[in-house]
Amino acid sequence: MIRLLHFSDLHLGVENYGRLDPETGLSTRLMDFLRAFDYVVDYAIEKDIDLVLFTGDAFKNRDPSPTHQREFARRIRRLSQARVPTFLLVGNHDLPNALNRAHSVEIFDTLAIDHVTVAQKPQLQSIPTKRGAVQIAAMPWVLRSYLLTKDEFRGLTAAQVNDEIEARLRQILDALAKRVDDDVPAVLAFHGTVEGAVYGSERNVLLGQDIVVERALLANPKFDYIALGHIHKHQALPTLVDHPPMVYAGSIERIDFGEAREPKGFVVVEIGDGPTRWTFEETPTRPFLSIAVDTRSSTDPLNEVRRAIAKHEIADAVVKLVVKTTPEAAVGLHDRELRELLASAAHVAAIVREVDRPARLRLGDQETVAAMSPRELLVRYLEVKQVPPERARVLLEHADMLWEEQVEG
């Protein structure tokens, strides 16, 4: 039986909602992602995993900083030193934005690092492991320019271009599948969007235009498992009974509040004589917490906020506070006091005051109002505000007395 670990979409360089750590000089958010990455590496080594399969997007940007490259390389080196074969598929965030430039993980191929294989183009490779070989059909992020030349695009509608791209992809995938040895475990590694997949927050960090691939193009029974990357939300796509599992491992750490409720982790796959089995293992992640408080009917809005925060475990969390309030109560909700209540949070992402402002009531059109006497204006105002008749009568009596005093004066 072969045991492989499938993880994806590391995105080192996502540092929103963080601060500089004085001890390391690194962003606290970078350290969050590295902590999750370390968990993956430790698991692979300690659980005697046969093969680590990474399905793309090592970094947030196409041109990662030397620091991000160093930290990624340190962990890949640990796997190499432990003699754990590692397969790196190139994703859209790994590709340069100009031809003939090196991609962000190409250095591992250039230096021929032991036990590390990089796939930047469609190919079928046999990876030796301590429990036998594993075939990996690699399908990295596909550029439209790779499949079609500019001349081939001319005169085609957008729908025709997509049809042509799908036909080319089918040819490539069929060619890879035909080369698979049925007696050796085989995995298809694909970085891209598959029909029916549910997006997470990756739409906020996408680089390049998605090509949506039909599930039928990938669901080939020649493969024992289909490892997917690019979508941050962990999910298994529906397949036929006799087809292999088709799984997005998802990202290993949260990017923003859009992923607050999503479990993050990796997939452990067992390929043997029977059907392929897989399980999802969660990584340690930074909590993202949204706290909503309605203080519109409270006589002590600040204390209402205090009680709402006390109901949550905010220590080490990235917190967003949303307070619904009135114009009168908002005056007493000072930012400094609200931040003091959130002092134990790792980061305060935002403090939002949603002030419930009543609709302004109009007394009438401009000409009508201009022609009214002060007493008529007051009568109209009391009617619009729906003041009870008895109270309106008393107010008018007092107003008449004031006007009479003014005239006498």
Side-chain angles (χ1 to χ4, degrees), residues 3-7 36 39-40 43 47 49 234 249-252 263-269 278-285:
R3 298 178 71 239
L4 66 89
L5 186 154
H6 166 211
F7 79 108
Y39 188 90
V40 173
Y43 187 100
K47 301 295 185 179
I49 292 294
H234 164 63
S251 52
I252 63 174
K264 297 297 177 181
F266 54 90
V267 179
V268 177
V269 186
W278 64 271
T279 57
F280 179 72
E281 297 288 338
E282 292 194 36
T283 48
T285 54

Side-chain angles (χ1 to χ4, degrees), residues 142-191:
V142 178
L143 295 171
R144 290 172 181 265
S145 58
Y146 176 85
L147 297 174
L148 294 174
T149 65
K150 290 183 179 179
D151 289 338
E152 290 174 308
F153 274 116
R154 290 176 183 170
L156 297 181
T157 65
Q160 289 172 329
V161 169
N162 288 333
D163 290 342
E164 190 64 29
I165 288 175
E166 187 174 299
R168 299 291 176 91
L169 282 175
R170 186 183 299 276
Q171 292 174 4
I172 294 171
L173 290 166
D174 286 347
L176 291 174
K178 287 178 181 178
R179 294 174 52 200
V180 169
D181 183 346
D182 293 336
D183 296 326
V184 179
V187 173
L188 172 61
F190 176 80
H191 187 94

Side-chain angles (χ1 to χ4, degrees), residues 4-20:
L4 66 89
L5 186 154
H6 166 211
F7 79 108
S8 190
D9 295 275
L10 179 60
H11 287 294
L12 286 183
V14 173
E15 299 181 3
N16 51 326
Y17 309 121
R19 64 181 186 279
L20 193 66

Side-chain angles (χ1 to χ4, degrees), residues 286-358:
R286 175 76 65 184
F288 276 65
L289 181 62
S290 295
I291 302 176
V293 192
D294 190 343
T295 67
R296 290 175 295 181
S297 60
S298 175
T299 57
D300 189 350
L302 184 61
N303 196 45
E304 190 74 26
V305 174
R306 181 182 291 106
R307 287 198 296 267
I309 293 174
K311 295 176 182 178
H312 300 273
E313 183 59 53
I314 67 171
D316 299 325
V318 176
V319 179
K320 176 169 63 176
L321 177 64
V322 180
V323 183
K324 292 185 178 181
T325 185
T326 61
E328 296 77 16
V331 177
L333 293 172
H334 300 293
D335 191 77
R336 178 180 57 80
E337 294 173 327
L338 294 176
R339 288 190 176 274
E340 287 178 356
L341 296 178
L342 298 170
S344 62
H347 184 84
V348 179
I351 296 176
V352 181
R353 296 172 183 81
E354 295 183 352
V355 182
D356 188 8
R357 301 187 183 278

